[in-house]
Amino acid sequence: MAAASGLAIAFSGTAATKAEPFHGNRTSKSTASPIAAGTSLLRSMVGRRGSVRSRPRCEALVDHEEKAAATVSALEQLKLSADRYMKERSSIAVIGLSVHTAPVEMREKLAIPEAQWPHAVGELCKLNHIEEAAVLSTCNRMEIYVVALSWHRGIREVTEWMSKTSGIPVSELREHIFMLRDSDATRHLFEVSAGLDSLVLGEGQILAQVKQVVRVGQVSGGLGKNIDRMFKDAITAGKRVRSETNIASGAVSVSSAAVELALMKLPKPHGESARMLVVGAGKMGKLVIKHLAAKGCKKVVVVNRSVERVAAIREELKDIEIIYRPFTEMHSSAAESDVVFTSTASDVPLFLKEDAEALPPVSEDVGGVRLFVDISVPRNVGSCVSKLEHTRVYNVDDLKEVVEANKEDRLRKAMEAQVLIIQELNKFEAWRDSLETVPTIKKLRSYADRIRSLELEKCLQKVGEEALTKKMRKAIDDLSTGIVNKLLHGPLQHLRCDGSDCRTLDETLENMHALNRMFSLDMEKAVLEQKIKAKVEKIQT
């Protein structure tokens, strides 16, 4: 009962003010904890009967016993719900959508530019039930990874946050988002990092994007202990899959798939001679130029805001002529091109229907149709452009046509990669399980120190302050500390484990549960109380 009361105090002034009325043992529909909801119930019970100050004193005395009984009943309900809530371990979860689950129109509304990742993580961590968060937003996916105090409440809060930031109703989001928990969420990230969930199996760009999540998190300080370790282990898994299997052999990135698609749509004799324009010289644009060169293209025009980046690409790629044009010449450059690749971070379309309509027709040698291959999310080419008779528009969703070949071979490679994924997943799960012993170690030491302090104080009182010198007091204090340390050495050694050995980990967890029972450490309540207090303090500051 004391623990439940302490937790209610920890939440006061924060979640409690948001809680809806608490309905007995049923799960509350609010995003606040049952503890806060219980506190709200106690307040509402007094509120339903009116304020004591506003009623005659005799009337307050008449129903005093009835109100006291109702309060006791409410506290019992609160304790039952709090106990159930405390038994729920913090969950790692991923909530998101990808090229496999949602169309590009929805993905571009949810896309978060890299510069805004820290801000998004900060907002997510302010949600009542979210401890840690990370955002992975690319042209093919937008995924949010969190550590949630409560699975159901955390998922609801993140989904509502996604709806609020994108303007997409929650009901519509639910038709396209996926949600995975704990080992399933971790495994998904490992598969993403290894390129197993990519549109093009084994593509390497996603591994660099996962690395960037860690890099941005380290600079902004936004990644928590669990998310940081999970992403770093995912990077390790991605590297192992690429180095220990041949999954990357023959695999292409989204950029090279875009080049493949363009060449597939052009008449075969004239594919290499078609006039190529690349808008944007970032990572994606550079890869497009690189793959065009690999396919035999000898010349490409590149439109970019700065000439320096184009000059650096020109210095690196000697086998293709690269002509720079400023953004002010984008439309005139498109007028002289047969194929236009777009890969910029622009939030608004660069080509609308009227822009494409104003372009002169292309030669019949290349089919008489100008191709726009848009690999940007948000899209750089408006969907209305595709309605023009002599224009074709392809976006990242259309790249599926390129990657349908050799399914059997790709599946075999994926099965080889899964063996490595499982090995890395087991290591991460063992590490996370090993963290369970840390609160027990702290609690056991705190328990022993309290006993030592009390007994030391009794001893000093019996001897008398005047009978002891400062040196004698220190000697007695050191003696008691030494005895406690030696007695705790064995138990604490059996609680320490790095999670690398599953057998040792199982023994360590058994030792932890035994010590919890023997010393009545009641770890579940203590850990949750600590988390909730930390959460409230973080929100308040």
Side-chain angles (χ1 to χ4, degrees), residues 56 100 486 511 516:
H100 306 298
K486 289 186 182 298
N511 294 334
N516 283 339

Side-chain angles (χ1 to χ4, degrees), residues 1 37 85 93 175 241 323 366 370 397 471 492 496 508:
M1 198 65 230
Y85 184 59
E175 296 178 9
V241 167
I323 301 172
V366 290
R370 178 175 281 105
D397 287 1
K471 184 176 181 181
L492 293 184
R496 291 189 172 95
T508 302

Side-chain angles (χ1 to χ4, degrees), residues 219-238:
V219 172
S220 64
L223 296 186
K225 176 172 59 179
N226 290 275
I227 295 290
D228 181 69
R229 175 66 179 254
M230 181 172 69
F231 268 78
K232 287 178 178 176
D233 284 2
I235 293 170
T236 300

Side-chain angles (χ1 to χ4, degrees), residues 48-69:
R48 282 197 301 269
R49 294 188 174 276
S51 173
V52 174
R53 294 179 184 176
S54 64
R55 294 181 296 161
R57 180 169 180 164
C58 57
E59 185 180 354
L61 291 174
V62 167
D63 68 347
H64 175 76
E65 292 184 1
E66 182 182 348
K67 188 166 71 174

Side-chain angles (χ1 to χ4, degrees), residues 283-300:
K283 294 177 182 177
M284 301 281 277
K286 178 182 176 180
L287 286 172
V288 168
I289 300 169
K290 182 178 179 180
H291 291 295
L292 283 172
K295 292 295 183 180
C297 181
K298 300 300 182 184
K299 180 180 176 181
V300 63

Side-chain angles (χ1 to χ4, degrees), residues 390-449:
H390 298 292
T391 302
R392 298 290 180 272
V393 180
Y394 302 97
N395 56 48
V396 289
D397 287 1
D398 298 308
L399 300 183
K400 295 175 183 178
E401 182 180 347
V402 180
V403 299
E404 284 298 312
N406 302 320
K407 279 188 176 181
E408 185 177 341
D409 183 52
R410 292 190 290 119
L411 288 174
R412 180 181 57 79
K413 293 176 181 177
M415 291 176 66
E416 293 174 5
Q418 286 293 350
V419 175
L420 302 177
I421 293 289
I422 292 172
Q423 291 175 4
E424 293 301 322
L425 177 62
N426 289 338
K427 289 180 183 178
F428 175 79
E429 292 295 323
W431 171 81
R432 190 161 183 249
D433 287 340
S434 71
L435 297 181
E436 290 188 27
T437 65
V438 175
T440 301
I441 292 173
K442 292 180 179 178
K443 197 76 173 179
L444 182 58
R445 177 162 286 285
S446 176
Y447 174 76
D449 284 341

